[in-house]
Amino acid sequence: NKVFSELPSQNEEIYERDLIIEADSFLLTRSYKDYVKFSKYRFPFNPRNDLVPDSVVKWNPNSYHAYMLAGDHYLGEKEWQKAIDMYSEGLTKVVATDQERLHMVENLQRAKDKLK
């Protein structure tokens, strides 16, 4: 109510010590730090030239996206068995879109075909 009932005479901060919301303790955890490291690879147009597949999976082991990124990396490096392992594990997770699931299925098959 103070914010709307008392208009400041100049550009000043209204500060109520009792109403401060403390920072979430999650921001201090290892999980959050790992998420921040992982998140730079989430968006398709961000460069991935420094991506280390094992690290991406370690940072976000419950996400299909980590395994998809690792699989894509290994496929590009022609490391077929590692790509197969990553795509196979990623497909056991909940995948956000049909397009991403199809991408992993098709690349999994490509890698299997290369091993024959």
Side-chain angles (χ1 to χ4, degrees):
N1 288 334
K2 182 178 183 177
V3 170
F4 296 107
S5 65
E6 298 177 22
L7 294 174
S9 58
Q10 57 187 357
N11 188 10
E12 62 186 61
E13 182 177 320
I14 297 175
Y15 177 80
E16 294 288 332
R17 180 179 293 281
D18 297 342
L19 299 178
I20 292 177
I21 299 172
E22 296 297 323
D24 189 332
S25 60
F26 177 67
L27 298 175
L28 304 174
T29 66
R30 177 58 139 180
S31 295
Y32 176 72
K33 290 174 183 156
D34 287 345
Y35 173 77
V36 169
K37 290 186 273 188
F38 171 80
S39 68
K40 80 180 217 178
Y41 300 110
R42 288 183 53 224
F43 302 101
F45 301 111
N46 286 354
R48 296 182 180 149
N49 51 344
D50 63 341
L51 184 139
V52 178
D54 294 335
S55 293
V56 170
V57 169
K58 179 182 160 208
W59 296 332
N60 206 353
N62 297 318
S63 170
Y64 76 93
H65 200 209
Y67 294 95
M68 185 174 73
L69 290 170
D72 290 351
H73 175 83
Y74 287 132
L75 193 69
E77 296 292 316
K78 299 180 181 177
E79 294 186 50
W80 313 123
Q81 187 57 56
K82 289 181 180 181
I84 290 168
D85 295 343
M86 292 297 121
Y87 290 129
S88 296
E89 183 63 27
L91 288 166
T92 68
K93 312 293 182 195
V94 175
V95 180
T97 68
D98 288 338
Q99 182 180 4
E100 289 172 313
R101 176 170 292 286
L102 182 61
H103 170 81
M104 287 197 290
V105 167
E106 288 174 349
N107 283 346
L108 173 61
Q109 190 58 53
R110 276 181 53 202
K112 286 180 177 180
D113 291 345
K114 294 291 185 175
L115 275 182
K116 292 180 183 179

